[in-house]
Amino acid sequence: MSKPVVLIFGAGANVGLSIASKFKQEGYKVAAVSRTIKDDLKKVADKTIASSLSPEEVQKDFGEVEKELGPPNVIVYNAYSLSVADGADPLSLPPSDFFKDLNGNTSSAYAAAASAATAFAKVPSSLPKVFIYTGNMCSSLVIPEVFSLGVGKNAMAYVIQTAAEAYGIKEKGEKGFWYFADQRFEDGVPVMAHINGEAHGEYYWHLVNQKTQGPWNNTFVKGKGYKQFEPELKRDVAGMTELIQQADERKGEL
């Protein structure tokens, strides 16, 4: 029987290490990818990779893990890139910083997600298949000082919602269940720098063991689990051919 594998991108000293420790405790092989590999992580992970986490490196890292440990059935993207802007003049942020953040928060995350969708087809049906992106409050708040982070997080929220609809709901998890996870205080206020690593490890383990696709925008509270704070961002799912046909039929109204 294949042993389950978790692959963590952005395995830092708080959230990443806690997730690695929890899944190791539960019998998983652990692959951890980070810009810097600390000794604590080496003690937990079966495989560590020091990586720039560029989109190209993420694809390469994914392939290396799959070759050595087998296709991962749980993928966590916990990496991020943040450039602080002038809150009174946010668009003064240099384009180079904006593009760097977009790469770290969206392009590299998409590379991991696309690789995961392919890898899930190789995972035995007896194992869960889950992709979790560590999100934050930027999906519901405008914060000028960190707007480039918000742009990237919101772009990936669209990717996660699309995958949850197409794979998690329509295909009933054949290509995985997909989540944008966001820790909050009990009243919905963002935890900011007080993000709790252990709470993430426990809650991500809970998500992995769900049998159906849960809310893609998965806000949670330490020790309490999922709690909805904002109205559900509901987008109808439509095919391009259907939309073009509909517009063609109604062009006379314009």
Side-chain angles (χ1 to χ4, degrees):
M1 182 176 178
S2 298
K3 193 169 184 178
V5 178
V6 60
L7 170 53
I8 305 164
F9 290 99
N14 185 19
V15 173
L17 178 60
S18 294
I19 295 169
S21 298
K22 174 61 179 178
F23 278 76
K24 184 70 173 182
Q25 176 187 329
E26 297 294 345
Y28 268 62
K29 291 181 182 178
V30 175
V33 182
S34 189
R35 294 182 181 93
T36 304
I37 303 297
K38 300 291 181 64
D39 288 340
D40 285 348
L41 187 61
K42 290 180 180 179
K43 294 175 183 177
V44 174
D46 297 278
K47 180 173 179 59
T48 58
I49 301 176
S51 172
S52 68
L53 293 170
S54 68
E56 297 77 16
E57 283 292 301
V58 164
Q59 288 181 295
K60 179 182 175 183
D61 299 338
F62 203 109
E64 186 176 329
V65 169
E66 186 170 346
K67 182 178 180 180
E68 293 190 25
L69 301 183
N73 61 293
V74 176
I75 296 90
V76 174
Y77 191 89
N78 185 59
Y80 71 96
S81 178
L82 171 63
S83 299
V84 178
D86 180 347
D89 186 17
L91 299 193
S92 64
L93 184 75
S96 58
D97 287 343
F98 181 86
F99 297 145
K100 174 179 67 70
D101 291 349
L102 194 62
N103 251 358
N105 300 314
T106 305
S107 300
S108 294
Y110 177 77
S115 296
T118 299
F120 286 156
K122 308 170 190 175
V123 172
S125 59
S126 58
L127 295 178
K129 306 172 188 179
V130 180
F131 184 97
I132 304 173
Y133 178 87
T134 302
N136 65 8
M137 68 291 179
C138 288
S139 62
S140 60
L141 291 175
V142 173
I143 308 173
E145 292 88 347
V146 295
F147 87 97
S148 60
L149 175 69
V151 169
K153 293 288 187 181
N154 276 279
M156 272 309 292
Y158 196 98
V159 172
I160 296 298
Q161 186 177 10
T162 298
E165 290 284 350
Y167 303 143
I169 296 175
K170 188 175 181 180
E171 293 192 2
K172 299 181 179 179
E174 283 297 315
K175 281 194 174 182
F177 300 133
W178 302 73
Y179 296 101
F180 182 98
D182 173 12
Q183 186 189 2
R184 304 285 185 88
F185 286 108
E186 286 200 54
D187 58 358
V189 172
V191 298
M192 304 300 286
H194 304 290
I195 189 168
N196 186 282
E198 185 179 346
H200 279 73
E202 293 293 334
Y203 190 64
Y204 283 17
W205 176 249
H206 165 76
L207 284 179
V208 164
N209 286 283
Q210 299 309 294
K211 303 301 182 184
T212 58
Q213 174 71 53
W216 70 269
N217 187 16
N218 216 280
T219 45
F220 71 97
V221 175
K222 178 185 176 182
K224 300 291 181 64
Y226 173 71
K227 187 174 181 181
Q228 182 177 349
F229 295 107
E230 292 84 31
E232 182 181 2
L233 179 56
K234 182 64 178 176
R235 300 183 179 100
D236 291 332
V237 179
M240 181 63 74
T241 301
E242 174 189 350
L243 291 174
I244 292 173
Q245 181 179 356
Q246 185 181 67
D248 286 346
E249 292 172 353
R250 298 186 59 181
K251 63 183 178 183
E253 301 175 23
L254 299 174

